Amino acid sequence: MTKENTNRSTLKRREHWTAMAFISFKYVGFILFVFLPVIVSILYSFCNYNGAIETEPFFSRIGALWSGFDSYKELFTTYSIHFKRAVLNNLIFLISVPLGIIVGLVIAGILSRPFIKGSNVFRLLIYMPVVASAVAMNIIWRYIFDNESGIINKVFGTELMWLTDGNLLRTAIIIKTVWGSIGKTMMLLLAAMLAIDGSYYEAATVDGAGEFKKFIKITFPLITPTVFYLLTTGVIGNLQMYTDSLIFANGNHQARTIVYFIWNYGIKSSLYGIAGAASTLLSLAILILTVVQFKISNSWVYEG
């Protein structure tokens, strides 16, 4: 091997390891902050571990703390009322996903029209809540729905107990969640609409199709991949709701979600076995729902 080939080979190796060093940050972060916590959470779910009273490290006492499926059984016996209520609340809050997509779709359709003046300003204003702090937005909405001095009651002259009545509290959270998701939904759907080739609409116009028929036959089928993405990520996000229960509902038991349940019994009460079991079941539920959505998507999502 010549000296020139040797230098070239050495340079390639340096480039390879330099590239690997930059790429490794992503994988190291995934291992440290996703993979290992998931493994530890699953181990917790099979152990009777209370971090507040245990004096020895968890990993040195796994054998002594091992309790099998006892934590899972306790979820549906001892903690049945609280866990089932959290699951029910999460299922109710899922209503905000399709509602947010529908509202975002309507707004995107309006803003995609060429005759709408100042549409860029409206897009910016609608998108702003997406980049706002979740905690700050929950505090603001709590003032809006306040029982005594809230804007909603003042404007409509009502005395509704938004923050104490269970049904009204859940309704307020759905309204708040839909409003918060409109910006992202609108921007992605608008981008999908503007990417559609105009020749489709020209051909439909020649055939005498109206605006509604164009939307049903052309626009919606072509943006179904984006709708599917929003639906899938929306379900995953809603099943992990937490700040709404803690900040907006102020821990009200009628609006507690599964993640709040995990925080309450894990971080707050140090019952890591119960929290680990709930976390594992939530992860499995998200996985199953996502797989089902992908299977069903074959029948309605357009594949170009």
Side-chain angles (χ1 to χ4, degrees):
M1 181 179 290
T2 64
K3 185 177 181 181
E4 182 180 352
N5 290 336
T6 302
N7 292 336
R8 189 175 299 172
S9 178
T10 303
L11 180 60
K12 285 184 177 180
R13 283 198 298 270
R14 288 179 179 176
E15 290 178 348
H16 171 76
W17 287 113
T18 301
M20 291 299 294
F22 280 105
I23 296 172
S24 65
F25 286 104
K26 175 182 178 180
Y27 295 102
V28 170
F30 173 80
I31 292 171
L32 291 178
F33 302 111
V34 178
F35 181 75
L36 289 179
V38 168
I39 299 300
V40 172
S41 177
I42 294 173
L43 286 175
Y44 276 145
S45 71
F46 291 102
C47 296
N48 183 21
Y49 180 68
N50 189 321
I53 62 176
E54 296 289 345
T55 57
E56 297 183 32
F58 170 73
F59 288 102
S60 65
R61 301 197 59 217
I62 291 180
L65 296 168
W66 192 264
S67 60
F69 289 92
D70 288 351
S71 295
Y72 293 91
K73 294 176 182 177
E74 290 183 26
L75 275 180
F76 298 98
T77 53
T78 308
Y79 303 96
S80 174
I81 296 176
H82 303 293
F83 183 65
K84 289 181 179 178
R85 182 186 290 122
V87 172
L88 177 62
N89 287 337
N90 265 119
L91 293 176
I92 293 173
F93 294 148
L94 282 177
I95 297 173
S96 63
V97 177
L99 288 178
I101 293 175
I102 292 171
V103 176
L105 182 59
V106 172
I107 296 175
I110 295 173
L111 295 180
S112 66
R113 301 293 88 187
F115 55 80
I116 300 296
K117 295 183 179 180
S119 61
N120 290 335
V121 176
F122 286 112
R123 294 175 195 176
L124 176 63
L125 293 175
I126 295 170
Y127 188 76
M128 283 181 64
V130 178
V131 297
S133 165
V135 174
M137 295 311 300
N138 272 282
I139 293 174
I140 292 172
W141 276 99
R142 186 171 174 81
Y143 281 114
I144 292 174
F145 281 104
D146 187 80
N147 294 339
E148 297 179 359
S149 57
I151 296 174
I152 299 294
N153 281 340
K154 291 291 185 181
V155 170
F156 295 98
T158 58
E159 296 181 356
L160 298 176
M161 300 290 104
W162 289 100
L163 301 180
T164 50
D165 181 87
N167 293 328
L168 289 176
L169 180 57
R170 286 188 285 268
T171 301
I173 291 177
I174 291 173
I175 294 172
K176 181 188 70 64
T177 305
V178 169
W179 178 85
S181 67
I182 289 175
K184 175 185 175 182
T185 303
M186 177 270 299
M187 289 297 289
L188 291 176
L189 291 174
L190 181 60
M193 289 179 180
L194 295 178
I196 298 175
D197 192 340
S199 61
Y200 292 117
Y201 297 107
E202 292 174 3
T205 302
V206 172
D207 291 338
E211 291 298 320
F212 180 74
K213 195 167 185 179
K214 288 179 184 178
F215 177 81
I216 296 298
K217 297 294 184 179
I218 299 175
T219 306
F220 187 76
L222 292 177
I223 65 171
T224 48
T226 304
V227 174
F228 172 67
Y229 168 78
L230 291 169
L231 184 63
T232 304
T233 56
V235 169
I236 293 173
N238 270 257
L239 288 176
Q240 299 179 75
M241 289 175 63
Y242 167 69
T243 53
D244 305 82
S245 301
L246 182 65
I247 307 299
F248 182 79
N250 199 26
N252 190 310
H253 68 278
Q254 298 179 93
R256 292 180 180 179
T257 59
I258 300 174
V259 175
Y260 184 94
F261 177 92
I262 294 169
W263 170 82
N264 188 45
Y265 286 98
I267 304 300
K268 190 176 181 181
S269 303
S270 298
L271 298 176
Y272 295 119
I274 299 299
S279 299
T280 303
L281 291 179
L282 176 60
S283 300
L284 287 174
I286 291 174
L287 176 62
I288 292 171
L289 284 173
T290 303
V291 171
V292 169
Q293 288 183 87
F294 270 93
K295 290 292 184 181
I296 297 175
S297 68
N298 295 328
S299 62
W300 67 276
V301 176
Y302 172 77
E303 296 182 4

